Amino acid sequence: MHLTLISFFKKTVPGHIFRGKRRLVKPVSRRAMDTLRREYEREEQVMLLLRHPYLTVEESYGHVKHLQKSEVKIMNWNDAATLKKMKPHVTWEDRLNHLRVKESWD
C-alpha cells in the first residue's frame, strides 16, 4: 500500500519520457563529454590519414602495371566468343516500343 501511494503521487512526465514537449532531458555529464571528445579526436585522426595518404600520386601511379590483370580481363571481355554469351544491351525505348501504336500528336 505504501508503494502504491508513493507511485500515485509521484510527479512524472505524461506520455513517453524522452519524447515530446514535456520530456525528461538528461543532464550532460563529464563521462558523456569525454566520450564525445574521444570520438571527435578519433575522427580527426582518420581524416588526417585520409588527407595525407601513405603513397603519393606519383608513387601510386602504375604500381600494379606489371601484373596487367585488368588488361587481361578486358581482352577476355572483348573476345567474340564471350560477347556471344552475353545478353545484348537493352534501352528503355526498346522495352517500351510496344506502346507506340500511333503517334497522332506528332
Side-chain angles (χ1 to χ4, degrees):
M1 173 145 174
H2 293 289
L3 291 174
T4 310
L5 286 174
I6 290 170
S7 64
F8 184 68
F9 291 108
K10 183 180 174 188
K11 302 282 184 181
T12 61
V13 177
H16 197 276
I17 296 174
F18 298 112
R19 285 192 220 149
K21 185 166 83 173
R22 297 188 184 98
R23 66 179 177 259
L24 282 180
V25 180
K26 285 181 165 183
V28 179
S29 64
R30 175 160 306 281
R31 182 178 178 188
M33 290 295 293
D34 292 340
T35 306
L36 190 63
R37 187 176 298 115
R38 271 183 282 150
E39 286 178 9
Y40 281 142
E41 287 171 357
R42 185 174 357 151
E43 186 176 342
E44 187 59 36
Q45 287 175 353
V46 169
M47 292 305 293
L48 180 73
L49 291 173
L50 290 175
R51 273 181 278 173
H52 305 289
Y54 181 71
L55 294 175
T56 63
V57 176
E58 293 82 17
E59 290 173 338
S60 65
Y61 177 75
H63 69 282
V64 192
K65 191 162 188 155
H66 66 280
L67 296 177
Q68 297 178 349
K69 289 184 177 179
S70 61
E71 290 151 7
V72 171
K73 286 181 183 177
I74 291 171
M75 292 298 288
N76 288 338
W77 288 343
N78 291 337
D79 188 20
T82 309
L83 289 175
K84 284 182 183 176
K85 292 178 187 176
M86 292 183 178
K87 292 184 178 180
H89 293 289
V90 179
T91 61
W92 282 105
E93 188 175 350
D94 296 338
R95 290 280 183 175
L96 301 175
N97 203 15
H98 69 280
L99 297 175
R100 278 190 168 167
V101 177
K102 72 178 191 184
E103 298 176 358
S104 59
W105 62 83
D106 283 344

